[in-house]
Amino acid sequence: MQKSLLGPGIIAASLICFAQMAVAQENSRTQDVPKTQSSIRRYQIPAGPLATALNRFADESGIALVYPASLAAGLSTRGVSGDLTARAALERLLGDTGLTFRFTNSGTVVIEKASSAEGARVLGPVRVEGATGGRTGLAGVNGSTDPTATEGTGSYTSSALSVASKAPLSLRETPQSVSVITQEQMRDQNILDFGSLMKRATGITTVQGSSGSLSESYYSRGFAISKIQIDGGAPLTLSPPTILGNAFNGFYAYVPSVSNMAMFDHAEILRGADGAFNGYGEPGGVVNLSRKRPLDHAQTLVEAAVGSWNNYRVMVDATAPLGFDDRLRGRAVVSYQDQNYFYDVASNSNTLVYGILEGDVTPGLVASVGLSLTRLDAVPWINGLPRFDTGDDLSLSRSASFALPWNRYVNEGKEVFGQIEQKLGADWSVKLKVTRISQSRTSKYAYESGTVNPVTLRGPVLAASMGVSASTQSMVDLTANGSFELFGHRQYVVLGANYDEDGGGGHVKSYSNLIPSNYVSPLGTVGPPPIDVFHFDPNSSMYAEPASGYLSQDFNNLGQKQAGVYANVRLTLLEPLHFMTSLHYNYYKDFSQSQGYNAAGQVTRVDQQAHHVAHDFSWPPTYAFTYDISKQFSAYASYTDVYHSQAAQVTQSGQSLEPITGSNVEGGLKFEAPGGRLNASLAVYRIEQKNYGIRNGNGPYESTGGLLPDGWHVCCYFIGNRNNVSQGSDLEVGGEVSRGWQISGGYTFNENEVRGSDAYSGNPDTPTRPTISLAPKHLLKLWSSYKFQGSEWLHRLSMSGGVNAQTSSYQAGSVCVDYNLGTDANGNPTATCKPGANKPYEFTQGFYAVFSGRLAYQIDKRWNAALNIENLADRRYYQTVSSSSGGNWYGAPRSYTLTFHGNF
């Protein structure tokens, strides 16, 4: 396998450079200001009277506290423990007191009562005055300009999210089901990539695709999650709904930087439809990833890890003010990981370089620009395990795979982004975000194809595929946030527009006939090499790397464009009732131009530029009601329309189908503990989709008298009698239960049903069989961490543990077990199923529960060591089941990861 050009040598040099920069910056600042708001030190202040705790804090931090003695009279604190900045320590001390604070300079703090607008919440954004070179306004808790940042909080919850609002809004105030996975939780659960993030997220089902972990899909409430945002920007469409896609299908679906989570502060996940800001798409939900921003103080984080199956990782994250009285700040993250898998042959290396500069151009204008480079270099295993043609399990070892040493998958991505935020007076701000992603991919691999005959134990053969692609993505998002007084209450408005162009000017080339049907193996057999699934030898000469075949399809212009305009209003006309409504206009267009070739290199088909256009104004609008039962409890109800384009599917007359439509109805209760340290929610929901296109033809392309006026379409369809209904409930809790005890957990109950006379059209199931279920009926995800209190030794120790459990999932269908092989008029190989050779199958993956744990120890002020153990009981199960011919993937056996964390 070709090793990364951004290899260990460059990584090591970069790490040293970044570390030296941050340490030098920190040393220079320390010489000038020995004790500041940004200094990290160990605090051990017990619970008790607030006045006593504040006096001790002042002694330990060297910061002067200014407040009247009467302000702290009669108040108590839960104390603070750990290595924290002064700002983070103060937030914890004042968390349940109804008091807030502000820095008047780097060494002086004024403590005062929280205003009615701020409430008692000080876990999240706090006011900072005169401490950052004149910068004012909202800031994150650890010196970040992101008001939703979670770094440095040590919490499993957040006081503010923006995924459902385009502006910081608390979980209790958000009238939809939203979750957050914070920086602390990502560290405790060893979350390193997007796949492991989604496996931990409440209500999310992960389905491994044909390329295993390189092509995962994610489902919520029975529907695909097809949208992803970065820093709340324009939505990226995952189509097919995977992060990595594959080399010649849905190439504009890949978001390179998310293959490595080292550059992100936290993730926000909305379950259900998001008709307010994200337009067309599946009603499964949307994920917003928040990048790490530069901090107002010098900090260097170092991580080094070693784990099971030769899994090695190193990461350095350095940030510091860079000049201009700290108005210019920078941050750089470099990460490299090299790993094998629990199954044979396959491996993967992952490299990330991320940098961002942020500056206070004027007192009201903050601008940032950044770059990320990624390279993923893998020896993949494709298509997973087959089964007997009856659907019965082969009971193979979990280490078994059919990957070959010459398999390869290389993806290189570059992301350039920028953001400008301008404050307009005290109540309004305008934010512009621009992102451009470019990437290239090459792949060549062999895979198993076919089911296993339970009598002869034969059937699967070796197939191979090859492809190359390159593409770009461009996103622009413009948002205006503001508020005004009306009827004696503060009212909030969000206005915006976004544009997303995926794939324009790129290309996708696929190659065929790598292993022709008349292939003669080194053993003298004719046809594709057979695979003995019980005694597979990847080094056999029979499986030597084949030639590259011939170019069979060239998409030289493939992609889509989306544009949206939206308005969102949150009104309070009469306390404690709040009303929110959104209007959204969305425009969608996809396009394609391609050529087909035969084995002689001759063009056999030219598909001219195709345009599939859809546009819609959402009506009825999205709306929601929130009622404040008390300061801690709220009830809500919301309605969102569902729109999903079917413009690429046409009728016999050449007309594009109308979009799939439907509704998302949800209601529930939310709880927020004083200080925002714990959030909980209970939701019930019902999603319905209708107007599905039903196939009315035997082939994927059916002639309508030549090419349609604007190119080729997938033909032919009609709007049938089919509805998809999903309903159920969510229960979620996250945050600090008591001092030192954090919890993140969610339970989901979901029922999916396909209704109507066309419910099973094009599906091998009959109405008497259960519906194929990707999402389990019951899903539980729970993780809890406890930092011990007490002696000097004991308070250095923390323990964590959790479980992912789900009920059974069912699969049924049919597969061809015998083919007629031949060639078409152009010499291309063909395979048609022999009459009566379709064999039905059905099987179930039963209930399983996977337990994990972590033990961590604070070695000294700077270093922490942690041991994570996944699948403690070594449970044997299938993480994904698909069909009897392949796509079945074991869950990982018990594994260990030892990580050293350094904070400088």
Side-chain angles (χ1 to χ4, degrees):
M1 179 180 66
Q2 180 183 0
K3 286 296 183 180
S4 168
L5 297 178
L6 299 170
I10 295 178
I11 296 297
S14 301
L15 300 188
I16 294 172
C17 177
F18 291 136
Q20 289 176 341
M21 177 192 74
V23 171
Q25 190 66 244
E26 181 181 27
N27 289 339
S28 66
R29 290 170 58 87
T30 302
Q31 291 171 4
D32 296 335
V33 185
K35 296 177 180 180
T36 72
Q37 59 159 317
S38 301
S39 300
I40 297 176
R41 61 173 60 247
R42 174 170 294 280
Y43 293 95
Q44 190 65 35
I45 303 175
L50 178 61
T52 302
L54 290 176
N55 288 337
R56 183 165 174 177
F57 169 83
D59 291 339
E60 293 187 4
S61 66
I63 292 176
L65 302 181
V66 180
Y67 65 95
S70 59
L71 193 66
L75 297 178
S76 61
T77 178
R78 300 169 73 180
V80 62
S81 174
D83 293 332
L84 302 165
T85 64
R87 185 183 303 167
L90 265 177
E91 286 170 350
R92 297 193 186 188
L93 286 176
L94 300 178
D96 301 329
T97 64
L99 304 180
T100 187
F101 65 92
R102 54 189 172 91
F103 280 89
T104 58
N105 57 55
S106 60
T108 305
V109 166
V110 173
I111 298 176
E112 56 197 359
K113 287 185 177 180
S115 68
S116 58
E118 289 172 319
R121 185 184 306 111
V122 295
L123 176 63
V126 296
R127 287 185 294 155
V128 182
E129 298 179 4
T132 55
R135 176 162 50 96
T136 62
L138 285 175
V141 298
N142 196 36
S144 168
T145 57
D146 181 3
T148 68
T150 66
E151 180 182 10
T153 66
S155 176
Y156 281 9
T157 191
S158 174
S159 66
L161 302 180
S162 62
V163 65
S165 57
K166 287 284 187 176
L169 196 65
S170 72
L171 276 75
R172 185 174 67 86
E173 296 168 318
T174 304
Q176 287 179 274
S177 293
V178 291
S179 302
V180 59
I181 296 183
T182 65
Q183 183 71 196
E184 183 79 0
Q185 189 177 347
M186 288 167 60
R187 174 178 163 177
D188 286 356
Q189 294 191 270
N190 199 33
I191 294 173
L192 304 178
D193 54 40
F194 191 82
S196 57
L197 176 91
M198 298 300 276
K199 286 182 175 69
R200 303 295 189 183
T202 293
I204 305 300
T205 301
T206 299
V207 177
Q208 290 189 238
S210 62
S211 303
S213 60
L214 299 181
S215 59
E216 293 179 334
S217 300
Y218 309 100
Y219 292 82
S220 169
R221 300 179 175 180
F223 297 97
I225 293 180
S226 61
K227 302 284 186 180
I228 186 172
Q229 299 174 336
I230 298 179
D231 282 345
L236 299 169
T237 300
L238 308 180
S239 179
T242 69
I243 288 298
L244 299 182
N246 57 55
F248 30 80
N249 185 2
F251 72 96
Y252 49 83
Y254 176 53
V255 185
S257 58
V258 305
S259 62
N260 192 318
M261 296 301 294
M263 63 178 281
F264 295 106
D265 176 88
H266 67 278
E268 305 168 358
I269 303 166
L270 182 149
R271 297 183 298 280
D274 179 23
F277 302 108
N278 287 300
Y280 284 102
E282 292 278 359
V286 62
V287 179
N288 179 43
L289 300 174
S290 180
R291 296 185 185 99
K292 292 177 178 177
R293 296 189 190 179
L295 304 182
D296 65 357
H297 60 280
Q299 173 184 284
T300 300
L301 305 177
V302 179
E303 289 184 2
V306 58
S308 300
W309 313 302
N310 298 317
N311 188 353
Y312 302 97
R313 178 177 180 266
V314 62
M315 185 276 290
V316 170
D317 175 355
T319 181
L322 301 178
F324 302 98
D325 295 326
D326 294 352
R327 289 194 296 271
L328 177 64
R329 302 167 294 278
R331 188 162 193 164
V333 179
V334 180
S335 173
Y336 178 77
Q337 182 178 16
D338 191 86
Q339 66 178 119
N340 295 334
Y341 293 93
F342 65 88
Y343 41 82
D344 296 334
V345 179
S347 64
N348 181 26
S349 67
N350 190 315
T351 305
L352 166 72
V353 176
Y354 166 69
I356 180 174
L357 291 174
E358 180 182 76
D360 305 319
V361 182
T362 69
L365 176 62
V366 179
S368 62
V369 62
L371 169 74
S372 70
L373 301 173
T374 59
R375 180 180 171 98
L376 190 147
D377 197 340
V379 176
W381 174 27
I382 306 299
N383 204 37
L385 294 171
R387 304 173 76 95
F388 287 117
D389 56 27
T390 58
D392 292 334
D393 187 14
L394 297 175
S395 299
L396 296 173
S397 167
R398 285 179 290 183
S399 64
S401 87
F402 306 117
L404 295 176
W406 53 264
N407 284 8
R408 59 182 177 269
Y409 177 98
V410 178
N411 190 310
E412 291 185 323
K414 179 173 71 174
E415 179 183 18
V416 180
F417 61 91
Q419 176 176 299
I420 297 175
E421 182 174 8
Q422 173 69 62
K423 293 189 178 299
L424 305 175
D427 300 324
W428 284 84
S429 66
V430 177
K431 188 178 296 184
L432 175 66
K433 302 174 183 178
V434 179
T435 302
R436 183 173 176 85
I437 299 171
S438 59
Q439 60 178 310
S440 62
R441 279 186 283 188
T442 61
S443 67
K444 184 178 182 180
Y445 45 71
Y447 56 95
E448 170 276 333
S449 176
T451 62
V452 180
N453 185 295
V455 178
T456 65
L457 303 183
R458 298 177 180 177
V461 297
L462 192 74
S465 187
M466 177 178 172
V468 297
S469 68
S471 64
T472 60
Q473 298 170 289
S474 301
M475 292 82 68
V476 180
D477 186 85
L478 178 65
T479 305
N481 290 278
S483 64
F484 57 91
E485 288 286 339
L486 182 65
F487 303 120
H489 301 286
R490 179 63 57 174
Q491 320 294 344
Y492 298 90
V493 178
V494 178
L495 304 173
N498 52 45
Y499 175 80
D500 172 25
E501 180 175 341
D502 300 337
H507 69 263
V508 177
K509 296 181 179 180
S510 58
Y511 295 78
S512 296
N513 214 35
L514 274 71
I515 302 179
S517 57
N518 60 353
Y519 170 78
V520 179
S521 76
L523 300 182
T525 59
V526 178
I531 292 178
D532 183 347
V533 298
F534 299 101
H535 306 93
F536 180 70
D537 179 9
N539 298 309
S540 170
S541 59
M542 186 164 54
Y543 307 128
E545 181 176 358
S548 298
Y550 66 89
L551 177 65
S552 58
Q553 188 81 0
D554 182 6
F555 285 89
N556 49 38
N557 193 13
L558 172 67
Q560 65 177 13
K561 296 179 181 180
Q562 285 196 96
V565 180
Y566 51 82
N568 176 272
V569 181
R570 291 183 286 123
L571 302 174
T572 302
L573 303 180
L574 181 66
E575 289 283 7
L577 183 64
H578 313 280
F579 173 71
M580 185 202 76
T581 186
S582 297
L583 291 173
H584 190 286
Y585 172 81
N586 193 74
Y587 171 85
Y588 170 89
K589 172 183 177 181
D590 63 34
F591 46 90
S592 176
Q593 181 174 322
S594 71
Q595 296 183 115
Y597 300 85
N598 61 18
Q602 299 170 324
V603 177
T604 59
R605 188 180 74 245
V606 176
D607 294 325
Q608 299 175 357
Q609 185 79 25
H611 301 284
H612 312 130
V613 178
H615 54 89
D616 192 90
F617 180 77
S618 61
W619 192 266
T622 296
Y623 56 86
F625 294 91
T626 302
Y627 183 83
D628 297 330
I629 301 172
S630 67
K631 292 183 178 180
Q632 281 76 51
F633 285 93
S634 296
Y636 73 93
S638 64
Y639 170 88
T640 303
D641 266 0
V642 173
Y643 297 90
H644 191 184
S645 175
Q646 299 183 106
Q649 300 171 359
V650 299
T651 65
Q652 187 73 33
S653 62
Q655 299 296 314
S656 290
L657 292 186
E658 293 296 316
I660 297 171
T661 60
S663 61
N664 184 121
V665 181
E666 182 175 325
L669 295 171
K670 294 198 174 186
F671 167 79
E672 180 184 73
R677 295 185 179 276
L678 182 71
N679 285 277
S681 64
L682 172 65
V684 294
Y685 60 86
R686 187 179 191 274
I687 303 173
E688 183 172 4
Q689 284 187 318
K690 57 185 179 180
N691 296 336
Y692 276 89
I694 305 299
R695 176 70 61 81
N696 183 22
N698 296 322
Y701 305 101
E702 185 171 304
S703 173
T704 58
L707 286 176
L708 296 171
D710 58 354
W712 64 267
H713 296 68
V714 183
C715 184
C716 294
Y717 284 80
F718 64 93
I719 298 295
N721 178 23
R722 173 187 170 185
N723 291 356
N724 276 14
V725 178
S726 172
Q727 56 191 13
S729 59
D730 280 331
L731 175 63
E732 186 172 20
V733 61
E736 188 178 54
V737 179
S738 63
R739 186 181 178 190
W741 180 15
Q742 298 280 344
I743 189 171
S744 174
Y747 163 75
T748 301
F749 170 77
N750 178 257
E751 288 184 317
N752 289 283
E753 186 178 0
V754 183
R755 301 174 178 175
S757 58
D758 297 310
Y760 298 93
S761 298
N763 191 308
D765 290 342
T766 64
T768 58
R769 287 183 176 174
T771 303
I772 293 176
S773 58
L774 292 173
K777 192 171 186 178
H778 302 275
L779 179 61
L780 172 67
K781 298 185 180 183
L782 178 65
W783 182 266
S784 184
S785 174
Y786 183 72
K787 295 182 179 180
F788 288 91
Q789 313 295 313
S791 68
E792 175 67 20
W793 180 89
L794 192 61
H795 86 271
R796 295 172 178 261
L797 185 66
S798 63
M799 295 184 66
S800 309
V803 61
N804 279 21
Q806 67 178 59
T807 51
S808 61
S809 55
Y810 174 83
Q811 289 288 334
S814 64
V815 64
C816 184
V817 296
D818 196 6
Y819 291 90
N820 287 315
L821 302 179
T823 56
D824 61 18
N826 295 315
N828 297 315
T830 61
T832 58
C833 193
K834 292 181 178 179
N838 269 312
K839 189 167 185 178
Y841 65 83
E842 57 181 318
F843 56 91
T844 298
Q845 164 62 54
F847 165 85
Y848 64 85
V850 179
F851 294 88
S852 303
R854 178 180 188 262
L855 182 66
Y857 184 74
Q858 190 72 38
I859 300 172
D860 57 26
K861 183 179 180 180
R862 301 298 186 188
W863 288 97
N864 175 281
L867 177 66
N868 285 73
I869 307 176
E870 303 293 331
N871 197 356
L872 280 164
D874 201 23
R875 178 76 157 85
R876 182 188 177 101
Y877 67 101
Y878 280 100
Q879 191 270 321
T880 297
V881 291
S882 181
S883 75
S884 60
S885 60
N888 303 288
W889 300 89
Y890 279 122
R894 184 190 296 120
S895 64
Y896 305 86
T897 303
L898 178 62
T899 306
F900 291 93
H901 303 265
N903 189 330
F904 301 91

